């Protein structure tokens, strides 16, 4: 068993880390809003942690706080995520349809150009030698694991209370929800900001995990990958992001012999899932279960 | 802030802005008919540039599967541009068949079409990388024959350069825009296209073969994409298979700025963003790539329907 964790431990930690990004896209999707902003907030959260972890200005803080510097970084990233999330989400979410997706793509691009031009973020080279929280990278599961559990618990609880029902109402029919007195914009912004905050904190945890941080963490391609986790896993299931991340993170390992052509196959998987499994893996499983149950009960 | 600088920026802005307009029209046409955004448009843009390069130069670099291959014959640049654009049109049709039609038939969530088109883009871009490598390709400087590289005027004692490629960019874009305007506004096919965009169900009841017109729209869209890809590639070089991604995203800013689904809006949006980039003060030039997206945000704040978009309707 210990051998298993030595071989696959890093893969498992990465899957949980990526699943967190998937979940951050799942939040706005609960209210029917497609956002590609997560990776921008992830990038910014990582820069917060990287700068607080390496910049001389924060040296006295680090000396005073020791290990507790890490939670402080998460807190700063969280605040940044919430404030920026409201600033980005509010103008775009007054509108219906595709506008949020477009505004968030713009946000990711602006963040990218901005960090490349900020001397404190290290330009194109980025920031190196971010202090480690643990000796072994596998131990980062103690960062990502609890955050993942917390995020899953929030999703699970939300679906059971009025707020979650309001999200689903907006997702199913925004106009009808509005007519029934649901404050559609406020609900959309709430769902969006939850995702932004989660992505920012995930970024702040990932900077020490990856040891270096640069603008390549926040590209458009990466945000598409996060979206793919959710849609391939199943955009209507709580477990979808985890399953999607598990599949897509391990796929390159499995397909390693294919080398250069494996990204082509990634695209093929994306198209095939959209066409043949429009509800994702979890949706496909549910449909299969229904069919099997119907078969046993003898109901045609 | 002298007059020569203003004139030079105006020239630069108009020539690049007109290409943005042609490229963005590819998005607009598909959006006005299907109400969704074709995220593979940037990949078709890239493909167009590579196809024209292959047809006009006929040799590839040192990486990728086709590294040692050279084509038996090459075309003169104008012919290569045309054939490259037509082939890109066919690629646009393939995108419709692969990413959009299967989902439409199943009545799937429109968000999925977005992802499936991104999937096709991923396939196209990585296929290009697999075949010809990730290196930079530049068109040779003699593709325009004997035309000089640039004509230089003197305005108030300062030089203003009009590059040949800028004239070609602007002229080719204007020809495409005029042709498209004529087709949509003045022909029977264009009328049927407008009817399909207005209401596909009614159009099909009136005997318009909707699926054929959707396919035709993707052809035109791909043609516009491939053509603009070539023009940008000739002007700035092809910076690898991913060079279309940033232009693809910029094109989205263009259509939101002009108003989603509005054809004059796409043209205006393209010119505004081209000029906005050109008039950026020289000491802020490292922020050039952000101009389009800052404008997109600004328009969402003050006039979300875009510069020329109609009132956003709330359909039940």
């Amino acid at each position: 068993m210990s051998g298993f964790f030595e071989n696959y431990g890093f893969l498992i930690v990465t899957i949980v880390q990526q699943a967190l990004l998937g979940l951050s896209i799942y939040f706005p999707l609960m209210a029917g809003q497609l956002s590609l902003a997560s990776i921008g907030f992830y990038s910014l959260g990582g820069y917060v942690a990287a700068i607080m972890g390496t910049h001389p200005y924060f040296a006295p803080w680090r000396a005073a706080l020791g290990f507790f510097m890490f939670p402080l970084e998460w807190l700063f990233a969280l605040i940044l995520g919430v404030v920026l999330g409201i600033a980005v989400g509010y103008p775009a979410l007054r509108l219906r349809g595709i506008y949020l997706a477009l505004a968030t793509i713009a946000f990711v691009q602006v963040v990218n150009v901005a960090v490349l031009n900020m001397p404190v973020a290290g330009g194109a080279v980025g920031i190196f030698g971010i202090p480690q929280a643990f000796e072994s990278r596998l131990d980062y599961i103690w960062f990502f694991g609890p955050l993942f559990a917390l995020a899953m618990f929030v999703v699970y609880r939300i679906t059971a209370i009025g707020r979650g029902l309001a999200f689903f109402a907006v997702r199913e029919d925004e106009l009808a929800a509005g007519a029934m007195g649901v404050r559609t914009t406020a609900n959309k912004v709430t769902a969006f900001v939850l995702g932004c905050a989660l992505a920012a904190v995930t970024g702040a945890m990932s900077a020490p995990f990856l040891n270096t941080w640069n603008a390549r963490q926040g590209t458009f391609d990466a945000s598409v990958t996060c979206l793919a986790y959710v849609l391939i896993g199943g955009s209507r299931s709580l477990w979808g992001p985890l399953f999607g991340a598990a599949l897509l993170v391990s796929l390159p390992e499995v397909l390693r012999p294919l080398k250069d052509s494996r990204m082509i196959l990634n695209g093929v998987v994306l198209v095939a899932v959209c066409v043949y499994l429009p509800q994702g893996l979890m949706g496909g499983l549910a449909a299969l279960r229904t069919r099997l149950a119907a078969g046993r009960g003898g109901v045609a | 802030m002298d007059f020569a600088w203003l004139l030079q920026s105006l020239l630069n802005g108009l020539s690049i802005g007109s290409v943005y307009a042609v490229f963005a029209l590819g998005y607009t046409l598909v959006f006005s008919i299907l109400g969704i955004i074709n995220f593979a448009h940037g990949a078709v843009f890239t493909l167009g540039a590579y196809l024209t390069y292959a047809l006009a130069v006929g040799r590839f670099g040192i990486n990728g599967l086709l590294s040692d291959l050279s084509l038996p014959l090459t075309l003169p640049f104008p012919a290569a541009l045309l054939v490259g654009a037509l082939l890109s049109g066919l690629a646009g049709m393939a995108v419709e068949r692969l990413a959009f039609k299967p989902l439409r038939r199943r009545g799937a969530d429109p968000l999925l079409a977005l992802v499936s088109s991104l999937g096709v883009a991923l396939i196209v871009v990585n296929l290009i990388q697999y075949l010809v490598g990730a290196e930079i390709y530049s068109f040779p400087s003699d593709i325009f024959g004997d035309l000089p590289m640039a004509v230089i005027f003197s305005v108030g004692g300062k030089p203003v350069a009009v590059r040949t490629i800028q004239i070609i960019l602007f002229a080719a874009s204007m020809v495409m825009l005029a042709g498209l305007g004529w087709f949509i506004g003045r022909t029977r096919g264009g009328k049927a296209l407008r009817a399909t965009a207005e209401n596909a169900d009614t159009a099909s009841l009136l005997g318009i073969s909707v699926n054929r017109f959707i396919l035709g729209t993707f052809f035109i869209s791909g043609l516009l994409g491939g053509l603009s890809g070539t023009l940008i590639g000739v002007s700035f070089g092809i910076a690898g298979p991913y060079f279309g991604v940033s232009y693809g995203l910029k094109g989205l800013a263009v259509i939101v700025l002009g108003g989603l689904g509005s054809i004059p809006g796409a043209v205006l949006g393209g010119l505004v963003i081209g000029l906005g980039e050109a008039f950026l003060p020289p000491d802020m030039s490292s922020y050039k790539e952000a101009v389009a997206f800052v404008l997109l945000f600004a328009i969402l704040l003050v006039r979300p329907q875009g510069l020329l978009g109609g009132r956003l309707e709330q359909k039940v």
Side-chain angles (χ1 to χ4, degrees):
Chain A
M1 195 62 205
S2 65
F4 173 81
F5 203 69
E6 263 159 40
N7 284 331
Y8 296 104
F10 184 69
L11 191 67
I12 290 170
V13 179
T14 309
I15 286 173
V16 176
Q17 183 228 7
Q18 295 292 307
L20 278 164
L21 288 176
L23 264 181
S24 74
I25 285 184
Y26 181 81
F27 273 111
L29 269 180
M30 284 170 81
Q33 304 304 308
L34 177 65
S35 154
L36 290 164
S38 289
I39 208 74
F41 285 94
Y42 171 74
S43 165
L44 284 177
Y47 273 111
V48 167
I51 291 167
M52 288 177 72
T54 57
H55 200 277
Y57 177 84
F58 290 102
W61 298 41
R62 287 194 293 272
L65 287 170
F67 187 83
F68 290 99
M69 190 67 185
F70 291 105
L72 191 70
E73 292 168 2
W74 307 341
L75 182 69
F76 274 48
L78 180 75
I79 294 168
L80 183 77
V82 170
V83 172
L84 256 181
I86 293 172
V88 173
Y90 192 76
L93 285 164
R94 289 175 303 156
L95 309 167
R96 293 167 62 194
I98 191 82
Y99 285 94
L100 181 67
L102 297 175
T104 52
I105 289 173
F107 170 74
V108 170
Q109 295 300 102
V110 171
V111 165
N112 233 328
V113 176
V115 295
L116 281 175
N117 281 293
M118 279 194 296
V120 70
V125 182
I127 296 173
F128 280 99
I130 300 163
Q132 297 293 300
F134 304 106
E135 299 245 318
S136 157
R137 298 229 272 175
L138 303 188
D139 287 334
Y140 278 91
I141 195 74
W142 300 115
F143 276 10
F144 297 121
L147 183 65
F148 186 75
L150 177 70
M152 291 291 274
F153 181 71
V154 170
V155 176
Y156 178 72
R157 282 304 302 161
I158 266 183
T159 52
I161 60 172
R163 174 68 75 189
L165 296 180
F167 284 177
F168 294 146
V170 173
R171 177 179 77 190
E172 297 304 330
D173 190 335
E174 198 175 326
L175 215 56
M180 298 305 289
V182 175
R183 290 165 60 217
T184 54
T185 302
N187 277 298
K188 287 193 284 184
V189 172
T190 309
F192 175 69
V193 170
L194 277 172
C196 299
L198 180 61
V201 176
T202 307
M205 289 181 176
S206 301
F209 174 60
L210 297 175
N211 198 16
T212 81
W213 203 257
N214 53 44
R216 277 191 300 281
Q217 297 297 335
T219 59
F220 176 68
D221 281 10
S223 55
V224 174
T225 310
C226 298
L227 176 64
Y229 296 149
V230 183
L231 291 164
I232 286 181
S235 62
R236 302 215 160 184
S237 160
L238 175 61
W239 297 98
L242 183 62
F243 274 82
L247 181 74
L248 285 185
V249 172
S250 29
L251 201 59
E253 303 298 317
V254 180
L255 299 178
R256 201 171 281 277
L258 288 177
K259 285 188 190 141
D260 294 342
S261 50
R262 69 168 192 244
M263 284 301 285
I264 304 175
L265 206 77
N266 244 344
V268 174
V269 168
L270 223 52
V271 177
V273 167
C274 287
V275 174
Y276 295 108
L277 277 178
Q279 304 289 325
L281 290 176
M282 294 305 287
L285 274 180
L288 194 68
R289 211 158 39 212
T290 317
R291 199 180 296 174
L292 287 178
R296 262 202 308 276
V299 185
Chain B
M1 279 297 170
D2 53 301
F3 186 64
W5 182 78
L6 286 179
L7 200 64
Q8 182 72 67
S9 302
L10 186 70
L11 276 168
N12 296 348
L14 281 179
S15 75
I16 188 80
S18 61
V19 183
Y20 288 165
V22 170
F23 175 61
L25 273 176
Y27 280 122
T28 297
L29 287 176
V30 170
F31 186 86
S32 61
I33 284 211
L34 293 180
I36 43 186
I37 285 171
N38 170 17
F39 271 89
H41 195 47
V44 174
F45 170 97
T46 311
L47 187 68
Y50 276 93
L51 284 172
T52 309
Y53 181 87
L55 291 165
V57 181
R59 271 174 289 103
F60 294 103
I62 47 170
N63 292 311
L65 210 62
L66 300 182
S67 52
D68 294 324
L69 201 81
S70 62
L71 295 184
L73 82 166
T74 57
L75 297 173
F77 179 71
L81 177 70
L82 203 67
V83 176
L86 288 173
L87 289 174
S88 309
L90 294 181
M93 288 163 75
V95 169
E96 141 75 358
R97 278 290 153 87
L98 280 172
F100 291 98
K101 197 174 179 202
L103 294 178
R104 213 165 46 240
R105 231 184 12 225
R106 287 158 183 259
D109 190 334
L111 289 186
L112 276 178
L114 194 157
V115 180
S116 63
S117 60
L118 277 169
V120 172
L122 209 60
I123 298 173
V124 171
V125 166
N126 286 290
L127 200 62
I128 293 175
Q129 175 153 354
Y130 188 58
L131 290 178
V132 299
E135 60 207 90
I136 297 171
Y137 287 93
S138 318
F139 283 85
S141 55
D142 60 351
I143 48 169
F144 302 128
D146 298 330
L147 291 174
M149 288 288 285
V151 183
I152 295 170
F153 296 97
S154 174
V155 177
K158 299 222 170 137
V160 173
V162 184
R163 293 168 63 210
T164 308
I165 178 67
Q166 289 182 317
I167 309 261
I168 291 174
L169 249 54
F170 191 72
S173 304
M174 287 302 132
V175 168
M176 285 311 291
L177 291 181
L180 194 68
W182 171 79
F183 171 72
I184 290 177
R186 297 262 182 272
T187 64
R188 263 177 82 84
K191 204 173 188 177
L193 203 66
R194 277 181 286 147
T196 312
E198 188 73 35
N199 187 327
D201 290 335
T202 314
S204 99
L205 283 176
L206 293 173
I208 294 169
S209 165
V210 169
N211 268 326
R212 245 182 59 207
F213 272 95
I214 292 177
L215 203 60
T217 305
F218 272 92
F219 176 77
I220 301 175
S221 162
L223 190 118
L224 297 173
L227 186 88
S228 41
T230 304
L231 292 175
I232 297 276
V234 174
S235 187
F236 303 108
I238 305 172
Y242 281 91
F243 101 114
V245 173
S246 61
Y247 287 98
L249 299 178
K250 222 180 262 184
L252 295 177
V254 169
I255 56 171
V256 176
L257 191 67
L260 277 181
S262 157
I263 289 177
V267 177
L268 182 67
L271 292 177
V272 167
I273 287 182
L275 288 170
E277 288 182 354
F279 276 100
L280 202 66
D283 54 327
M284 288 178 68
S285 61
S286 55
Y287 287 93
K288 192 180 138 217
E289 289 305 305
V291 168
F293 304 104
V294 171
L295 284 173
L296 184 154
F297 260 128
I299 200 83
L300 282 182
L301 275 174
V302 296
R303 195 181 152 81
Q305 69 271 45
L307 293 171
L308 297 183
R311 235 176 62 79
L312 295 169
E313 40 181 329
Q314 304 262 311
K315 267 191 210 161
V316 181

